[in-house]
């Protein structure tokens, strides 16, 4: 079946540090890949997505590239801020209208 | 920007009681979902709904659960007889036909006591 594996957290960084959160997946076919962010006490917000191999999703300084050869979709940001502190979820979907399969989530804490 | 609206934001109920969680998806979306997140754990798929019927459901979605779209705008999740382990955050989501994007509501925190 489909699954998503994320690096375990929490990840604690100082402001302006470089961020990488690893995500790998197992899926049949060619899934679409997503990063969602959950700020404290809030719901899930789509951060970025990529729908085919070698696509790069980007938003708010975050980037992730769909790597089919390594089945990965790692999240990166060059310089994190305290306001980026949240839980980040990697997810996949096999087709339009199909369910999302989530990773376990990675807590990011950014200290000033 | 269009939103998925969920009510209530927090519900406390006694074990064995029925609860109905309500969602108003984005108006031109055709696919609807319920997910849940037990505190500190991953987000789990419960059920998807398309064309007025369930298109997929998980093992969690047993006979105690049901979904309905009673009036063309609301999308409800009913838990017939709640258990302590049903305590979780429940998220509604919707997506547009032919597009890879899911919009989530802000969730209902259900506490079963």
């Amino acid at each position: 079946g489909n699954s998503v594996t994320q690096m375990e957290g929490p990840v604690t960084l100082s402001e302006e540090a470089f961020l990488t959160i690893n995500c790998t997946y197992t899926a049949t076919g060619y899934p679409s890949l997503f990063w969602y962010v959950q700020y404290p006490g809030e719901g899930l917000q789509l951060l970025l997505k990529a729908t085919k191999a070698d696509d790069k999703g980007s938003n708010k300084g975050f980037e992730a590239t769909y790597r089919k050869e390594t089945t990965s979709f790692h999240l990166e940001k060059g310089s994190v801020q305290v306001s980026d502190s949240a839980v980040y979820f990697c997810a996949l979907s096999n087709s339009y209208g199909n369910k999302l399969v989530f990773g376990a989530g990675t807590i990011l804490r950014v200290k000033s | 920007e269009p939103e998925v609206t969920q009510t209530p934001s927090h519900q406390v109920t006694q074990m064995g009681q029925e609860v109905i969680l309500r969602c108003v998806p984005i108006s031109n979306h055709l696919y609807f979902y319920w997910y849940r997140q037990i505190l500190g754990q991953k987000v789990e798929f419960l059920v998807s709904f398309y064309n007025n019927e369930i298109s997929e459901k998980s093992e969690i979605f047993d006979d105690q659960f049901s979904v309905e779209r009673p009036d063309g705008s609301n999308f409800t999740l009913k838990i017939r007889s709640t258990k302590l382990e049903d305590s979780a955050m429940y998220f509604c989501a919707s997506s547009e036909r032919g597009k890879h994007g899911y919009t989530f509501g802000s969730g209902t925190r259900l506490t079963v006591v």
Side-chain angles (χ1 to χ4, degrees), chain B residues 4-19:
Chain B
V4 174
T5 306
Q6 287 187 245
T7 54
S9 56
H10 191 188
Q11 177 142 6
V12 181
T13 189
Q14 292 213 323
M15 195 167 52
Q17 295 297 303
E18 174 184 285
V19 294

Side-chain angles (χ1 to χ4, degrees), chain B residues 17-109:
Chain B
Q17 295 297 303
E18 174 184 285
V19 294
I20 297 177
L21 309 183
R22 302 181 193 280
C23 170
V24 179
I26 294 173
S27 60
N28 65 334
H29 285 191
L30 299 178
Y31 300 89
F32 313 111
Y33 313 84
W34 284 100
Y35 292 80
R36 80 171 185 191
Q37 183 183 29
I38 294 172
L39 187 64
Q41 297 187 25
K42 70 160 62 176
V43 179
E44 301 172 292
F45 168 75
L46 292 178
V47 66
S48 57
F49 193 85
Y50 171 70
N51 202 24
N52 285 319
E53 60 183 26
I54 290 174
S55 46
E56 187 177 357
K57 60 183 180 179
S58 71
E59 293 173 353
I60 303 167
F61 195 88
D62 61 21
D63 292 344
Q64 292 299 312
F65 291 87
S66 62
V67 288
E68 208 175 33
R69 190 157 158 79
D71 56 13
S73 62
N74 289 286
F75 179 52
T76 61
L77 174 70
K78 183 194 289 187
I79 309 174
R80 241 178 291 281
S81 177
T82 49
K83 307 184 191 98
L84 293 175
E85 55 264 36
D86 293 326
S87 296
M89 181 74 92
Y90 288 80
F91 291 106
C92 175
S94 66
S95 65
E96 200 172 345
R97 185 188 193 92
K99 289 197 176 178
H100 286 284
Y102 305 77
T103 303
F104 282 81
S106 54
T108 293
R109 180 168 297 286

Side-chain angles (χ1 to χ4, degrees), chain A residues 45-64:
Chain A
Q45 298 176 28
L46 177 65
L47 182 59
L48 53 84
K49 67 181 179 185
T51 57
K52 59 183 189 297
D54 300 325
D55 267 4
K56 179 187 280 189
S58 61
N59 186 24
K60 299 181 183 179
F62 291 90
E63 292 183 340

Side-chain angles (χ1 to χ4, degrees), chain A residues 23-40:
Chain A
C23 170
T24 57
Y25 67 89
T26 303
T28 53
Y30 302 96
S32 293
L33 302 173
F34 304 82
W35 277 100
Y36 279 84
V37 59
Q38 185 178 32
Y39 296 103

Side-chain angles (χ1 to χ4, degrees), chain A residues 7 11 13 17-23 35 74-77 80 106 108:
Chain A
M7 67 187 283
V11 174
L13 296 173
F18 185 87
L19 168 71
T20 300
I21 300 178
N22 289 341
C23 170
W35 277 100
H74 303 322
L75 183 68
E76 296 182 336
K77 186 175 186 184
V80 293
T106 302
L108 171 65

